[in-house]
Amino acid sequence: MRKFISIIIVMILIVPVLALLLWSFSEMISWPKLLPDEFSLRIWSDLIKSKELLKSIITSILISMGVAIVVLFISMPAAIALSQFEFKGKKIIWFLIFAPLIIPSVSTAIGMHILYLKAGLTDSMLGVVLAHIIPTIPYSVKILSFSLELIGKGMREQSEVLGASMLQTIVYIYLPNLKPAIILSSILVFIVSFSQYLITFLIGGGLIKTLPIMLFQVIQNGNRAEVSSYSLVFIISALIATYFIERILGKNIDGKYMINI
Amino acid sequence: MMKHLEIQEIVKKYNGKPVVNHVTFDMNLGEFVSILGKSGSGKTTILKMIAGTIEPDSGGIYLLGKEISRVPTQKRNIAMVFQEYLLFPHLNVAQNIEFSLKVRGIEKNERTKRMFELLELVQLGGMEKRFPHELSGGQKQRVAVARALISKPDILLLDEPFSSLDFNLRNEMCSFIKSIQRETKTTTIMVTHDREEAMKISDRIVIIDEGNIVQIDTPKGLYNNPTNMFTAEFMGDVNILKREEEFSYMIRPEAMSVSSFRKEGFNKSKVVEKTFLGSSIHYKILWENTFLNISGMNNSEEYSLGQEIYINLPDEKIIKVKHC
């Protein structure tokens, strides 16, 4: 029974990707056909030569990396405050942080667009990075504050009683113990940012071409073979990037601070 | 002479309800004082106000004559060992013990030297490379004590230090901590709900109930001369002989003399219950209309259930206590 369930789960996850792989090796495929008439390497060879695609991958990775870093720096103090201290209006702040998950991103994006126009932040990478903070921050704050609650208030009190300042407590105590949470939240933030279309489109004004922007253009062209290849590139670059996030953070956030510094 | 620590009229309220209510006491250098009370009596709150993780609503805390109740925790030279030890899980024993010197910017050689001294003091030589999860409960506590003492604190605070240890280890750690405290002459305050623990280890005990100090005295003073019913009952078994409006008269079980035959000044009574407790045997006896608890040593004369025995209540052992 368990074997049967795992087979079904694998099918659900793998089959669509396999279909993408199959379709991407055809010249052209249109609905309702499932299998291509003939196989071809044209789409892939075009893709590899495409400077635009390479540029969009780099743009996407740079933006999402930037978002992951900025969001980590914003959500760490927020998570510490929300999980370790009692203060008035805590519930309202929780609601505001979670609001992007409830409120449709169209409405926030349009609001942001007007604001960013006034601030001169539209059509720039910086503007897009800042705009991506909104949909990603709920995940980051929630994951970090959950882990901080598990660590408990005691560790902070103990560290302070032993003479550590707040900053020393963060660097020596929280960071090493939050390592799994930081990695998880950074990966999640990266992926959520990596898949943003609407916000990037509005704030970037079509000039900041990330992978999703490219993908949507291709979708509009209507060639399913081409769409498949772009989707695969999208999946692979996200996977590679998350692998590197884990490697980089895994090495650098370590309990060995004490001896190394 | 200036007191080492003076606590004056400290008050802490939560939602308008006082948890610590005008608490005042002081300590001499090198003294070991226990704050003894039931759970929820406010004893840990007092400890945390001295440590600085909670700020009192009013009142003052004077360390070596200086008001510290508004000084941030980090700037007070006070160390605290928490109930759960709270060793930093990602740091080994050496790094845990060195922590407070490290954050105070003491250089590496000096830190290592002190760390080995403390490791020796808590008898954990050779364990500096171990991580907290590789240590037993007693070893964890030794590390926590070493970590607290390395900065030579003016005051050491212990929050229910033995409650998470099993029974046998508890006795061992109790005398261990007492000997270390004597050796380092560290002024120490311990919070506990365990009367025997407090009696074993303390020079003086502060009894606290619902945020109020009930009585302060040496363990012997509290047991032999309680001023009120709460202390009397908290410190051991009592026999209430007479109740009046404001006061009661009582006697401790072992303060009565017992005889199996009629004697001058002894009153007749009857054994109605007998409990064997190892080193001692407890009896419940009926004297006139009153049930009394008495105790005898296992190696002294034994009485049987229903036996007629004679008891004497020496006047000087009868204690007059106030109702609370």
Side-chain angles (χ1 to χ4, degrees):
Chain A
M1 187 61 196
R2 274 174 72 176
K3 209 174 172 187
F4 180 70
I5 292 174
S6 11
I7 289 172
I8 290 187
I9 290 172
V10 168
M11 299 262 282
I12 292 170
L13 293 174
I14 302 290
V15 168
V17 180
L18 285 179
L20 289 181
L21 197 63
L22 201 63
W23 294 338
S24 69
F25 284 101
S26 68
E27 188 77 33
M28 173 127 181
I29 181 162
S30 45
W31 199 82
K33 273 190 201 155
L34 268 184
L35 288 174
D37 298 329
E38 52 185 314
F39 289 95
S40 138
L41 288 173
R42 185 187 63 87
I43 296 219
W44 281 108
S45 67
D46 281 0
L47 267 188
I48 289 166
K49 281 181 222 142
S50 160
K51 285 222 175 74
E52 224 188 349
L53 178 70
L54 187 68
K55 223 180 128 190
S56 76
I57 293 176
I58 294 170
T59 310
S60 262
I61 288 179
L62 282 179
I63 287 176
S64 298
M65 286 277 183
V67 173
I69 293 166
V70 174
V71 166
L72 185 63
F73 274 92
I74 297 175
S75 42
M76 184 61 93
I80 290 173
L82 288 165
S83 64
Q84 304 277 315
F85 298 96
E86 296 306 322
F87 51 89
K88 270 186 190 162
K90 197 167 161 175
K91 282 194 176 145
I92 296 170
I93 290 179
W94 264 125
F95 174 76
L96 285 175
I97 286 171
F98 276 109
L101 294 182
I102 308 157
I103 298 166
S105 59
V106 189
S107 40
T108 37
I110 288 167
M112 263 193 285
H113 191 221
I114 296 163
L115 195 73
Y116 279 36
L117 272 175
K118 282 184 184 160
L121 280 167
T122 46
D123 306 345
S124 71
M125 292 251 286
L126 178 68
V128 174
V129 169
L130 292 178
H132 280 193
I133 293 172
I134 307 275
T136 51
I137 211 154
Y139 302 101
S140 185
V141 174
K142 187 62 203 171
I143 291 171
L144 292 177
S145 69
F146 180 72
S147 274
L148 281 161
E149 265 162 35
L150 285 184
I151 294 171
K153 290 178 186 171
M155 283 289 171
R156 174 175 55 83
E157 287 183 349
Q158 177 67 82
S159 168
E160 283 174 4
V161 168
L162 290 168
S165 66
M166 192 71 211
L167 190 66
Q168 283 173 320
T169 304
I170 292 177
V171 173
Y172 294 143
I173 307 300
Y174 285 156
L175 284 185
N177 284 301
L178 282 176
K179 189 166 137 181
I182 290 173
I183 292 174
L184 177 63
S185 85
S186 300
I187 289 174
L188 210 59
V189 166
F190 181 88
I191 290 174
V192 172
S193 156
F194 205 70
S195 337
Q196 289 299 319
Y197 169 71
L198 193 69
I199 292 178
T200 318
F201 182 71
L202 276 172
I203 304 295
L207 291 173
I208 307 298
K209 286 194 173 155
T210 60
L211 260 181
I213 301 277
M214 293 286 286
L215 188 60
F216 270 77
Q217 278 177 9
V218 173
I219 289 173
Q220 277 166 350
N221 293 345
N223 183 351
R224 210 143 37 106
E226 219 180 338
V227 174
S228 302
S229 61
Y230 268 85
S231 304
L232 282 172
V233 170
F234 191 96
I235 293 171
I236 292 163
S237 21
L239 280 178
I240 292 174
T242 43
Y243 173 77
F244 279 107
I245 293 177
E246 195 172 342
R247 282 295 298 272
I248 294 165
L249 290 179
K251 260 197 192 133
N252 288 329
I253 305 172
D254 213 315
K256 283 170 187 126
Y257 269 99
M258 293 283 290
I259 336 169
N260 294 342
I261 291 178
Chain B
M1 207 191 97
M2 189 177 67
K3 292 283 180 185
H4 190 68
L5 176 74
E6 273 179 88
I7 311 250
Q8 279 179 8
E9 294 279 326
I10 50 168
V11 176
K12 183 72 194 176
K13 288 180 185 166
Y14 287 118
N15 302 323
K17 203 178 151 265
V19 183
V20 173
N21 199 7
H22 297 281
V23 162
T24 300
F25 66 93
D26 51 41
M27 286 178 77
N28 294 318
L29 181 69
E31 207 179 5
F32 197 122
V33 167
S34 288
I35 302 176
L36 177 62
K38 297 168 187 163
S39 60
S41 58
K43 52 194 194 310
T44 302
T45 310
I46 298 176
L47 209 63
K48 289 193 168 174
M49 287 194 279
I50 300 170
T53 54
I54 297 177
E55 200 174 285
D57 296 337
S58 64
I61 300 171
Y62 299 86
L63 180 62
L64 297 158
K66 255 171 66 187
E67 221 295 304
I68 57 159
S69 64
R70 264 80 188 160
V71 174
T73 310
Q74 295 91 339
K75 302 247 165 77
R76 307 179 187 191
N77 193 18
I78 292 177
M80 178 158 170
V81 176
F82 290 74
Q83 194 171 351
E84 316 83 11
Y85 317 139
L86 296 173
L87 297 184
F88 303 130
H90 59 294
L91 302 180
N92 65 26
V93 169
Q95 293 164 335
N96 261 289
I97 295 178
E98 281 180 30
F99 188 83
S100 72
L101 297 185
K102 161 94 190 158
V103 295
R104 287 184 170 100
I106 310 286
E107 59 133 357
K108 179 85 185 137
N109 290 342
E110 173 68 14
R111 281 199 325 247
T112 315
K113 206 183 113 221
R114 286 282 295 146
M115 186 272 294
F116 279 113
E117 282 170 26
L118 264 297
L119 210 58
E120 212 53 53
L121 179 74
V122 297
Q123 297 164 14
L124 286 178
M127 296 220 177
E128 64 272 15
K129 292 264 151 55
R130 300 246 184 123
F131 279 87
H133 68 268
E134 299 169 310
L135 302 175
S136 70
Q139 289 169 336
K140 277 183 198 162
Q141 183 161 53
R142 284 163 196 255
V143 175
V145 169
R147 182 175 66 175
L149 289 176
I150 197 165
S151 59
K152 296 184 177 148
D154 292 323
I155 295 184
L156 175 66
L157 305 172
L158 306 169
D159 185 12
E160 299 270 6
F162 311 114
S163 61
S164 36
L165 298 175
D166 61 42
F167 183 75
N168 293 323
L169 201 56
R170 211 176 283 188
N171 283 334
E172 189 191 316
M173 286 310 295
C174 197
S175 37
F176 178 73
I177 287 197
K178 179 77 191 158
S179 71
I180 283 190
Q181 187 264 338
R182 283 222 188 97
E183 203 178 320
T184 57
K185 299 187 183 66
T186 309
T187 313
T188 305
I189 306 178
M190 175 175 87
V191 153
T192 181
H193 65 273
D194 187 314
R195 169 193 64 183
E196 281 182 32
E197 228 169 74
M199 288 174 92
K200 257 184 239 168
I201 206 167
S202 323
D203 297 319
R204 282 190 303 149
I205 298 174
V206 177
I207 296 190
I208 186 152
D209 184 40
E210 292 178 348
N212 295 293
I213 289 187
V214 181
Q215 195 174 345
I216 307 176
D217 205 340
T218 59
K220 198 173 169 186
L222 289 175
Y223 186 81
N224 289 340
N225 305 305
T227 56
N228 53 71
M229 204 53 155
F230 186 87
T231 306
E233 287 186 324
F234 203 55
M235 295 305 287
D237 287 339
V238 291
N239 292 303
I240 295 160
L241 302 171
K242 197 163 72 178
R243 273 181 202 278
E244 283 174 0
E245 216 167 277
E246 247 188 281
F247 295 96
S248 275
Y249 295 87
M250 47 149 273
I251 189 164
R252 295 287 186 196
E254 72 289 345
M256 289 179 272
S257 315
V258 187
S259 165
S260 54
F261 50 86
R262 192 179 294 276
K263 262 198 207 172
E264 178 66 35
F266 280 58
N267 302 306
K268 197 169 92 172
S269 61
K270 197 174 156 192
V271 178
V272 292
E273 222 178 277
K274 182 178 174 183
T275 316
F276 180 72
L277 290 173
S279 63
S280 65
I281 304 173
H282 281 202
Y283 302 95
K284 194 181 213 178
I285 60 171
L286 184 61
W287 166 63
E288 288 167 2
N289 291 321
T290 318
F291 286 106
L292 298 178
N293 292 302
I294 63 171
S295 61
M297 299 307 287
N298 190 8
N299 60 1
S300 63
E301 194 182 356
E302 198 177 328
Y303 312 107
S304 50
L305 217 57
Q307 190 181 342
E308 275 190 0
I309 57 169
Y310 300 87
I311 55 161
N312 173 253
L313 313 170
D315 281 345
E316 73 276 10
K317 300 275 179 162
I318 293 176
I319 315 160
K320 182 181 171 188
V321 295
K322 213 174 161 176
H323 294 154
C324 283

